[in-house]
Amino acid sequence: MTEPMQGGRRRIDLVLAEDFLADLDTVDLDDVRTRRREAEQEDADLSYIRRMLQGRMDILRAELSRRSEPGGGEEKIVDHLSRILSDDAGRSDHGLGRFLTVEPSRVDEHRRKVEQVIADVGVSEVEGHSDDEVRAALRRLEDLEREVSETRQRVQKVMDALTTEITRRYRTGAANVDDLLAER
């Protein structure tokens, strides 16, 4: 879903290409900033996909938990969605504390991809599947979430390298803060 392809044309392919960070010290500052924005946008998109996957995993975990209750849990999972998907649902936050200045792009495309994964694992109606089927679907989503997280970490390393270069230029005087302020 998010694995970059060598020579690909998608933003993820470009941001994680070996030459994306090549010769940073000789690249125009505006180009470094543009690259940084591209990486930041990809980070925002990967974060969005990851949150969508985590929500679906939370639903599957809640369904398995509901089934393990005495009597198999009389209520339907849909009756508990607002609690399951709430911010305080007990999901630990493993974020890196990054403040993103961009919103996810291609939201509909990302949503469709995640929904396709859900359809592929056959759990769009979780209550109609066996425990083993739900557990298998959960494992597939966890694997995909892990892949997205690893790709996102790679993108964040690119962002860090670009930020370091921008900072170096200001620190050494190769770039001037007054020029930046004048642009705004």
Side-chain angles (χ1 to χ4, degrees):
M1 172 184 268
T2 61
E3 193 62 30
M5 296 182 298
Q6 187 173 357
R9 300 177 66 113
R10 301 172 304 164
R11 183 175 48 231
I12 187 72
D13 303 328
L14 300 174
V15 168
L16 293 180
E18 290 181 24
D19 63 344
F20 194 73
L21 295 176
D23 302 320
L24 272 186
D25 57 338
T26 62
V27 174
D28 180 75
L29 180 59
D30 288 337
D31 189 35
V32 176
R33 286 186 185 126
T34 298
R35 292 180 192 192
R36 172 82 172 59
R37 281 191 298 275
E38 290 295 315
E40 184 178 31
Q41 186 62 65
E42 195 58 37
D43 183 38
D45 288 355
L46 291 167
S47 177
Y48 179 77
I49 293 169
R50 190 168 166 261
R51 287 190 313 269
M52 287 179 57
L53 290 167
Q54 288 171 339
R56 271 77 175 170
M57 292 183 320
D58 288 347
I59 291 169
L60 296 181
R61 289 182 186 120
E63 173 63 12
L64 290 170
S65 176
R66 182 192 70 78
R67 291 178 182 188
S68 70
E69 294 173 3
E74 301 296 320
E75 296 179 343
K76 297 213 176 268
I77 194 73
V78 70
D79 297 332
H80 300 281
L81 283 180
S82 62
R83 178 186 52 78
I84 294 166
L85 298 175
S86 70
D87 286 339
D88 58 346
R91 185 182 318 124
S92 64
D93 184 14
H94 295 289
L96 297 176
R98 293 177 184 270
F99 176 75
L100 295 176
T101 61
V102 296
E103 293 293 321
S105 65
R106 306 181 325 264
V107 170
D108 289 337
E109 175 186 336
H110 297 315
R111 183 185 46 74
R112 283 191 301 274
K113 284 181 185 177
V114 171
E115 293 304 325
Q116 181 63 46
V117 170
I118 298 297
D120 288 348
V121 297
V123 292
S124 53
E125 179 63 44
V126 295
E127 293 169 341
H129 293 278
S130 71
D131 290 359
D132 287 341
E133 290 171 321
V134 173
R135 277 192 282 280
L138 179 58
R139 280 191 301 275
R140 285 185 62 193
L141 292 176
E142 288 170 339
D143 289 345
L144 182 56
E145 190 272 341
R146 193 170 16 264
E147 174 191 317
V148 170
S149 293
E150 289 168 2
T151 302
R152 185 172 179 227
Q153 288 173 359
R154 291 174 57 198
V155 168
Q156 289 173 338
K157 286 180 181 178
V158 169
M159 288 173 50
D160 290 345
L162 293 163
T163 300
T164 298
E165 176 58 21
I166 292 169
T167 302
R168 182 196 67 79
R169 290 184 187 199
Y170 283 110
R171 189 177 312 120
T172 63
N176 188 335
V177 174
D178 293 334
D179 294 339
L180 179 63
L181 295 174
E183 292 175 13
R184 295 178 187 221

